[in-house]
Amino acid sequence: NPPVAFVHFPPAGAVVANLTSLAPNYDLSGLVELSGGNDGSATDLAACTGECDSDAQCAAGLRCFQRSNGETIPGCFGPGGGRNWDYCYDPCIPQEHASSV
């Protein structure tokens, strides 16, 4: 298992650099950093974007991954806005392609 890193939110590029330095053997390529605000009326949200309340808020083919305790989301990395924030994801990506970093 890769090491778990807890980071604060400096500029996005610094987060990736910080994660890479904390977990140099963990490959973040192909993963998308969790992002987005808490807009209940948002629609057509991209993968790893939140905060969604239902699949209807996600772009075509994506689903809303419902979290209650910071679960990792396939294809995504980072802490996101909160441990209970939900994000759109591609259900075709296996769970093992999620990062706890």
Side-chain angles (χ1 to χ4, degrees):
N1 290 334
V4 176
F6 296 96
V7 295
H8 296 283
F9 280 102
V15 171
V16 172
N18 198 12
L19 288 172
T20 304
S21 67
L22 291 171
N25 296 325
Y26 194 78
D27 182 12
L28 295 176
S29 64
L31 297 179
V32 177
E33 186 170 10
L34 294 173
S35 65
N38 193 358
D39 179 359
S41 62
T43 58
D44 203 33
L45 295 172
C48 305
T49 305
E51 203 280 326
C52 58
D53 296 312
S54 71
D55 295 347
Q57 288 184 272
C58 300
L62 302 180
R63 290 192 177 155
C64 184
F65 192 103
Q66 302 288 318
R67 303 194 309 171
S68 59
N69 195 28
E71 295 85 353
T72 56
I73 300 172
C76 308
F77 78 94
R83 297 182 67 74
N84 65 343
W85 279 39
D86 308 319
Y87 292 86
C88 296
Y89 77 106
D90 182 345
C92 295
I93 296 175
Q95 178 64 33
E96 62 267 13
H97 290 275
S99 169
S100 58
V101 176

